[in-house]
Each structure stands twice: as C-alpha cells, then as structure tokens.
Amino acid sequence: MIHFFKNHILFSAFALLFIFKLSNPAVAQIRLNFQDFGIEGVQPLFDYEKMAKKGKSITDEDSEYHRMVERTIKALENRQIDLAIKTSDSIILKYEYLPTGYYLKGKSYVDKKRDSARFYFNKLLAFDDLQVVGLAHLELGYTYVFRRSASGKAISHFNSAENLLMDSPEPLHAKSYFYYVTDRKNKALDYAKAAIAKDSLFKPSYYVMLNVWKSRQNHDMAHEVTLRMLEHFPDDDNVQLAKALLYFETGEDEFGIQILDHVIREDPMNTIAIRMKGEYHFRHNQLEDGFDLMMKYIQIQNKMIESNEAKYASLLDGQIMRALTYVATEMYDYDDEARKILYESVKYVVLNNRDEARKKLTKLESKCDYIPTGLLMMRASLFQEEKDSFYWRTDNENVTQRDTTLYYNLGSLASYYSYYKFYKKAEPIYDKMIALRPELVSGLKWRGQNRLKLEQYTKAVQDFNIYLSRTDDFEPRIYEARAACYKKLGYLELAATDLQIAFEGRETAFYYDPFLDLFSIRLMLKDTTEALALADSALIKVENAYKYDRKVMKGQLFNLKGLVYMSLENKDLAVQEFSNAIGSNPYFDLPYFNRGKLEYENDEYQKAHEDFDQFLELTTNKGIGFLWRGKAALMLQKNSAALRDFKLADKNGIAEARDWYYRVNF
C-alpha cells in the first residue's frame, strides 16, 4: 500500500528550521541543523486509495497515477521544485477529483510562494474526507507560523486539525513546533510530550524536546531524550548523529567520534557523518585526515547532485565545493609545504572561519608557480574581488601552454564574478584573457554576455559578431543574446532575424521565452501573418515535449493566437483559439477571461458569466475578474450579485469598479 508521505524526509516544514544552539566554543563552528540530519516529517495520515471524491477511487493497477505521485515526491525530496510543480499539475489535470495533486502542488509552493501554497491547501477543504480536511488545516497552519501578525490563524488551523485528526499526534506536534519557534519553550515541551503520549514512535516531537533542553543548556535532559530516541529508533542514523553532536557540544569528543565511526561503517555513503568526522579532525588539527574526509564528502555530494539524489543541503557554498573538487585534482602542483597550507585553508573554510582561510590562501599563492583553477575559484568565493595577487610567477618555457591555462583560469574567475552579478569586476578580467590569447574565441562570447548585463549593447554586438564569424558551432543562445541587444538598440528587424535563426535551428527543441520575444517583435512590426505562422510552427515543436509541458505550452500558444485574432477583430477565430487553449490546459486562467470578454461583447452574458466564474476560480488577479463578472451579472439582471462583485473588485484595487457600483446602486 502506498502511503501519502512515504516517510520522505522533507515533508515537514518544521524539520527544516530547528537550529542546534551550540554552547561549547570548541564546536561552535559546526552550525548543523535538522535539515542536515534529514529528520522525518509528518507521518502517513491516510492512503492514496482513500483519497477519493464523488465515489471515484484509485487502485494499485493505476500505475500512471502512482508513477506521477512518486515522481513528484522524489522531485520534492531533491529540491527540484519546478519539476514538482509540473508533475503535480499533471496529477491535477488527470485526477482532479482526488486531493493528491492539490496537496503536492501546495507543498511545492511552501518555500517559494506561500500565498500560492495556501490557495492549493484551501482546495483540500472542499473534499468530503475528514482526514484530508484535517491535513489541509495542518498545512495552512504551518504557512502562518512565521507571520507574527497571523499567529492566531496558525493556532486556529492547528485546533481545527486537532478536532479532525483526533487519533494523530501531528496537530499536537504542530502546536509544539509553533510554540518552540515563538520562544514559548514550556508550552512547546508540554505539547511535544502530549504528542509522544499519543504515539511513542512519533519522532519529530522528540526533536522538539531535544532542542528545548539544548537551548536551556540542560545537557543531562538532552542526553535523556536521545537515549529514549535510541531505545525507539536504534537503527536510525539521524538519531545517532544527533547523539554524536550532543557529545561534541559537551566536550565528550571521544564518544562522539565512536558514534560517527559506527555510522560510517554501517553506511559508507552517509555524507553528514563523513562531514562531521572531517570537522572533528580539523578541530583536533589532524589536517590531512580532515582534508581527505572533506574530499570524500564532496565527491559523494557531487555524484548525488549529478544523479539528482542529493538529500541534504551542503554546509559549504556550492561554489567552494566546486573549487575544492578542482583542488583535489590539482594536488600534484603543490609541494609538501604548500599542501600543508592548503589543508589549513580548507580547514578554516569548512569551520566557517573565512578570515583565517583568506590568510592561508594568500600565503599559499606565494608558494605556487601559477594559480590553479581551484585556488582561483576559492579565492573568488572568499574575497569576491580581483587583486594583483591573482597573477602568477613562472619560469616555465612553455609559454603557450602556460598562457592557455591562465586564459581559462581567468575565464573561470570572471564567470564567477558574472554569476554573482559583479559584472563590472568581470569586465577587465575578460579583457585580460582575450588580450592573452586573442586567437581563442570563447572569451568573446563570455565578454559579450557580460556586456549585455552591463547594458553596453553596441560593444556586446561587436563581440558576438566576431565570435559568430570565427566559429562553426551553432549556438542559439548567442543569437538570442545578440537579438536582445538589437532590440534594446531599436533594430527590431535584426532582432527578429536572429531570434528566427535560433528558433529554426533548434529543430525539435522548444523554449518558450525566446519564442515569446520573437512573437512580440512580430506583433510590434505589425506582421500578424508571420506571428500566427510562428505560433503554428511552435505548436508542431511542442508535440515533442514532455506531456505536461505539451499541455501547458499548447494552452499558452493557442491563447496567443486568440489574442492576435482578437486584435484583428476576428471574434469567431479568437473564440475558437481560446477554446483550444482551455481544451489543452483547463487550469490556465487567461483564456477563460479572454473568451468571456468576447462572449460579453457578443451579448452572450450567461456564457461570459460562467467563464469569468472559472477565471476567478483559477487566478490570483481577482480584481479584474470580479469587475467583468459583475458586468455580466448586471446584464443578466442579477443586480445583487453585480453589486457584490463590483464591491469586491473595488477592494482589490480596480478603480473603475466604484463607478459601476454607484451606477447600479443609484
């Protein structure tokens, strides 16, 4: 039987936010939190098979449903939020009578857009399963926890969840979590104990108790909690790691390292244990052992990231992780003394002492004949500026090889400045690399893209022109970048030509944003025939896309065609295209609104009213929807409904609505 949460780690908002408050100065640099340990979240409250409405249900044989749900959960677990949003949309499109898709869509938005998350959790309140409604209240409560002005809403939702989920410890735990983050520790303890009394195996509440005692520096009680956890969860690595960290905090390192060794023996790929052991060695100045463990940690993390299996957030900046990966492959460039300095610099990076790390890196630079890529990247991460000390000393006779190495080193450095939006700092570095090896063309492409960000459009076009004239590679993004420059300079025909080249050159691939740029330029040039032909070509390309993307993109393309026909006052074809858009993606709000306006103009007020109803159900832009639904209601002689809608439109910032309100009322 497939459970709704599958015991997946990230399914609790609260698991991401508990912070271990460290007291022992010897371990104050660790800064681990519950996210590092992958603490389990909400326990399964109901099964997929029970999430039925209107008599419909899902069976084990419906493999496509289970596959889509599993894919969404895996995307959420790996923090692939955009993919989770897409796949949950697919579930909603095909299984709109089940709450699963709405729930997963809400979970996808929890960290990005809480208003959107609430929108989908509120959808669950309409279902007739009390457990579904209880879960909806639970999730809605969590979205209000960190809004001080809305703390009453959080508790209100948690109370509703408690009334509906009487057999579950989760609502009690939710209250415990709420009181913990609002610094009311006594109440947090009381509710955590109540949750555990209801279910002694409900792990999240143990972590609340542990954190309360740690925050009060009461390590005896904290140890007692971890012992209880080990009794209930003896094989849980996360509990073992929590115990090890507690030993480190209390200065009992010999016990903490024993636990880490045990965890790593049982699971050699446990990156958290490996990282903690590396930090232990660094704290005890065992530099080579610490460095080797951090290299192992980074190697495993990189493999997980490449295979989309990374479950834990990295303690290290992603940029520094990449730098250390380079450093590990460049060790042959260092003598023993330089290697020792490197170990010390990595130690301070890992222990988050950036000042000492900078000093060690500066010292290391004086020991190297030239600056390897990894060191440049670490330096860029720590200093965020380019200094003369990036330059090299060498007696190497192979100048071309040396210059080529430096060329790409400088390119790496400039690219990181550009990535972090230090475009002005990147510019002179690109100039240096191009001057160093003018026959290589990569620098021209990179400098052109940087100049586009600096709004130096004419110079960027010059770089792109030279680059394209000297390479046989077809790179659609360069044509699109040059088109962006042409558009800013007012050369719309040239921009359209470049975008058309990129669009056609991709053959079967389809990217919506550059297509939309080209489509909008065609309309700006009043070339509606070409715009419609472009949309038809895009519809053919979209057929090769993933099923969800295909439905969504086709909906957007049909809607664009409808807008073109609308501008040409061809209402019949416009209505047809808007209907096609709705048929492709019934959860796309704009075609309902656009079709409703045309129906209103054609005196089909009942149809218009129904379309505006649907638009309001789907959109976050409520004001304009209330205005037009009010107009349709007025024409249907539903004055009370019209007045109500005009009042709502006015509250949502539509100034015109007030005139309509008074016109009806007086």
Side-chain angles (χ1 to χ4, degrees):
M1 183 175 290
I2 304 175
H3 293 295
F4 189 71
F5 295 96
K6 297 289 289 182
N7 285 321
H8 278 273
I9 288 167
L10 69 101
F11 268 84
S12 79
F14 51 85
L16 307 179
L17 299 159
F18 289 137
I19 304 300
F20 281 111
K21 296 186 178 180
L22 306 181
S23 58
N24 189 336
V27 293
Q29 302 292 343
I30 297 178
R31 297 187 179 182
L32 293 178
N33 58 39
F34 273 109
Q35 182 178 350
D36 294 315
F37 290 141
I39 304 310
E40 284 86 349
V42 183
Q43 300 300 301
L45 297 179
F46 54 89
D47 303 328
Y48 287 136
E49 292 83 349
K50 294 180 181 177
M51 293 192 299
K53 187 181 181 186
K54 300 178 182 176
K56 298 181 180 179
S57 62
I58 291 296
T59 64
D60 287 332
E61 285 72 33
D62 197 331
S63 58
E64 183 179 7
Y65 169 80
H66 296 306
R67 180 183 58 78
M68 288 194 294
V69 171
E70 291 286 354
R71 187 178 183 195
T72 308
I73 290 174
K74 188 170 181 62
L76 283 169
E77 184 180 43
N78 292 326
R79 303 295 193 270
Q80 297 171 294
I81 302 303
D82 291 338
L83 176 60
I85 290 171
K86 288 182 179 180
T87 52
S88 57
D89 264 338
S90 297
I91 299 170
I92 292 172
L93 283 169
K94 188 162 184 180
Y95 302 97
E96 61 180 331
Y97 54 87
L98 293 177
T100 322
Y102 301 107
Y103 177 80
L104 293 173
K105 186 74 176 286
K107 294 299 289 185
S108 303
Y109 277 123
V110 160
D111 293 325
K112 292 180 69 174
K113 299 178 181 177
R114 293 210 171 151
D115 286 342
S116 298
R118 292 185 194 109
F119 174 80
Y120 287 99
F121 292 144
N122 274 312
K123 291 269 188 184
L124 298 176
L125 298 177
F127 285 81
D128 53 13
D129 188 313
L130 294 182
Q131 288 187 312
V132 174
V133 176
L135 179 64
H137 282 296
L138 199 63
E139 294 294 350
L140 286 165
Y142 279 128
T143 66
Y144 287 110
V145 164
F146 291 98
R147 284 182 58 185
R148 289 185 178 276
S149 60
S151 59
K153 289 185 178 180
I155 287 296
S156 175
H157 281 297
F158 291 150
N159 286 337
S160 298
E162 187 177 1
N163 291 332
L164 293 166
L165 305 172
M166 291 182 288
D167 295 329
S168 170
E170 180 55 36
L172 294 169
H173 171 74
K175 290 183 179 181
S176 171
Y177 168 68
F178 171 78
Y179 288 121
Y180 179 86
V181 298
T182 54
D183 207 29
R184 286 175 273 185
K185 302 295 173 50
N186 287 334
K187 283 194 172 185
L189 267 180
D190 291 342
Y191 279 106
K193 290 175 181 177
I196 292 169
K198 186 161 284 192
D199 181 356
S200 62
L201 297 179
F202 189 71
K203 197 183 304 177
S205 290
Y206 285 103
Y207 283 104
V208 174
M209 293 174 63
L210 176 61
N211 274 272
V212 170
W213 293 125
K214 283 160 70 75
S215 68
R216 292 176 172 178
Q217 306 297 309
N218 191 332
H219 293 111
D220 290 338
M221 291 302 298
H223 274 298
E224 185 177 321
V225 173
T226 58
L227 288 173
R228 287 182 63 189
M229 294 172 75
L230 287 169
E231 289 175 9
H232 291 299
F233 317 107
D235 300 323
D236 191 314
D237 287 347
N238 295 325
V239 176
Q240 299 276 0
L241 293 175
K243 183 70 172 174
L245 183 59
L246 188 56
Y247 278 130
F248 289 141
E249 289 183 36
T250 55
E252 302 171 280
D253 286 16
E254 66 277 14
F255 298 119
I257 197 65
Q258 287 176 16
I259 293 175
L260 293 183
D261 287 337
H262 169 74
V263 171
I264 293 171
R265 277 197 303 271
E266 295 295 318
D267 180 9
M269 300 293 283
N270 190 310
T271 53
I272 304 304
I274 291 169
R275 189 183 77 202
M276 289 176 67
K277 189 175 179 181
E279 291 166 351
Y280 164 85
H281 285 301
F282 276 137
R283 289 197 306 277
H284 289 268
N285 218 33
Q286 298 163 354
L287 301 181
E288 190 167 352
D289 290 338
F291 183 86
D292 290 343
L293 283 163
M294 293 312 301
M295 290 301 105
K296 182 178 179 182
Y297 163 74
I298 289 168
Q299 186 179 34
I300 296 172
Q301 278 287 97
N302 285 340
K303 285 182 179 178
M304 286 182 170
I305 290 168
E306 288 171 8
S307 60
N308 291 325
E309 293 179 0
K311 295 182 180 180
Y312 309 117
S314 171
L315 174 71
L316 305 171
D317 295 342
Q319 185 175 343
I320 293 178
M321 276 187 63
R322 289 190 292 273
L324 292 177
T325 304
Y326 273 108
V327 166
T329 64
E330 296 171 340
M331 292 294 289
Y332 61 85
D333 289 318
Y334 301 84
D335 58 23
D336 290 342
E337 184 182 1
R339 191 174 290 112
K340 182 179 178 182
I341 298 170
L342 173 67
Y343 291 156
E344 290 177 340
S345 66
V346 173
K347 164 188 171 179
Y348 289 117
V349 167
V350 170
L351 298 181
N352 210 33
N353 188 335
R354 298 299 175 93
D355 290 337
E356 284 298 321
R358 292 188 188 101
K359 291 177 185 177
K360 296 298 179 183
L361 282 175
T362 302
K363 186 177 180 181
L364 179 58
E365 287 172 9
S366 67
K367 302 289 182 182
C368 298
D369 288 336
Y370 76 97
I371 310 302
T373 302
L375 188 56
L376 280 169
M377 293 165 69
M378 285 182 68
R379 181 67 182 261
S381 301
L382 294 170
F383 282 79
Q384 295 298 323
E385 61 186 11
E386 198 256 346
K387 294 185 176 180
D388 291 340
S389 55
F390 277 108
Y391 282 95
W392 64 98
R393 304 187 329 275
T394 181
D395 298 322
N396 192 338
E397 294 179 0
N398 192 342
V399 176
T400 301
Q401 182 178 355
R402 180 206 69 188
D403 288 352
T404 302
T405 301
L406 182 64
Y407 178 89
Y408 288 109
N409 284 350
L410 290 171
S412 295
L413 177 63
S415 295
Y416 278 102
Y417 283 137
S418 187
Y419 177 80
Y420 284 103
K421 301 182 181 180
F422 297 115
Y423 304 121
K424 289 183 178 179
K425 290 184 178 181
E427 182 75 4
I429 305 175
Y430 284 128
D431 292 342
K432 289 172 187 175
M433 68 179 291
I434 292 168
L436 188 68
R437 291 295 305 275
E439 72 278 14
L440 300 179
V441 296
S442 299
L444 291 164
K445 170 178 66 175
W446 298 335
R447 187 175 68 179
Q449 292 169 325
N450 192 69
R451 285 175 166 176
L452 172 58
K453 299 293 186 181
L454 287 170
E455 300 181 4
Q456 299 174 357
Y457 303 120
T458 302
K459 288 183 177 181
V461 167
Q462 291 170 356
D463 280 343
F464 293 139
N465 287 344
I466 297 171
Y467 173 78
L468 290 170
S469 69
R470 290 169 53 187
T471 183
D472 295 327
D473 296 334
F474 175 71
E475 295 189 49
R477 292 188 183 280
I478 302 304
Y479 285 99
E480 289 162 0
R482 188 170 69 174
C485 295
Y486 282 141
K487 186 177 178 181
K488 291 291 186 180
L489 293 169
Y491 304 131
L492 296 184
E493 289 285 1
L494 291 174
T497 300
D498 272 357
L499 288 170
Q500 191 73 39
I501 291 170
F503 178 79
E504 293 175 355
R506 282 200 168 101
E507 296 180 355
T508 57
F510 177 71
Y511 293 82
Y512 185 73
D513 288 341
F515 158 80
L516 192 59
D517 282 341
L518 178 55
F519 187 84
S520 64
I521 289 174
R522 293 294 185 205
L523 293 181
M524 289 164 68
L525 294 170
K526 299 184 179 179
D527 195 345
T528 53
T529 302
E530 283 293 330
L532 290 168
L534 180 67
D536 287 333
S537 298
L539 283 166
I540 295 171
K541 287 192 174 190
V542 165
E543 288 298 327
N544 296 305
Y546 172 64
K547 182 166 62 176
Y548 164 77
D549 290 330
R550 184 163 66 246
K551 291 180 178 180
V552 170
M553 291 300 179
K554 285 176 74 173
Q556 291 172 328
L557 293 170
F558 283 128
N559 186 62
L560 289 174
K561 288 184 70 178
L563 291 172
V564 174
Y565 284 125
M566 203 171 175
S567 70
L568 296 173
E569 298 185 359
N570 190 333
K571 294 182 180 180
D572 291 339
L573 284 178
V575 167
Q576 180 181 325
E577 296 297 350
F578 293 138
S579 298
N580 289 339
I582 292 166
S584 296
N585 181 10
Y587 293 91
F588 184 24
D589 56 350
L590 294 180
Y592 289 105
F593 179 77
N594 294 329
R595 188 174 69 177
K597 285 183 70 174
L598 290 175
E599 289 163 343
Y600 181 87
E601 292 173 7
N602 289 336
D603 300 333
E604 299 176 279
Y605 302 119
Q606 185 58 44
K607 287 184 178 180
H609 194 278
E610 291 170 2
D611 273 344
F612 294 137
D613 258 343
Q614 194 61 40
F615 172 74
L616 283 165
E617 182 72 18
L618 297 170
T619 191
T620 56
N621 186 14
K622 302 289 187 184
I624 195 69
F626 285 128
L627 175 67
W628 279 89
R629 189 175 69 176
K631 289 183 182 181
L634 184 61
M635 300 308 293
L636 291 169
Q637 298 183 352
K638 298 178 180 179
N639 289 8
S640 297
L643 285 169
R644 184 170 58 251
D645 278 346
F646 292 144
K647 194 171 183 179
L648 288 169
D650 182 48
K651 284 184 178 179
N652 280 271
I654 305 298
E656 181 187 347
R658 190 167 299 181
D659 295 335
W660 281 91
Y661 181 86
Y662 287 118
R663 192 182 305 177
V664 176
N665 215 17
F666 300 105

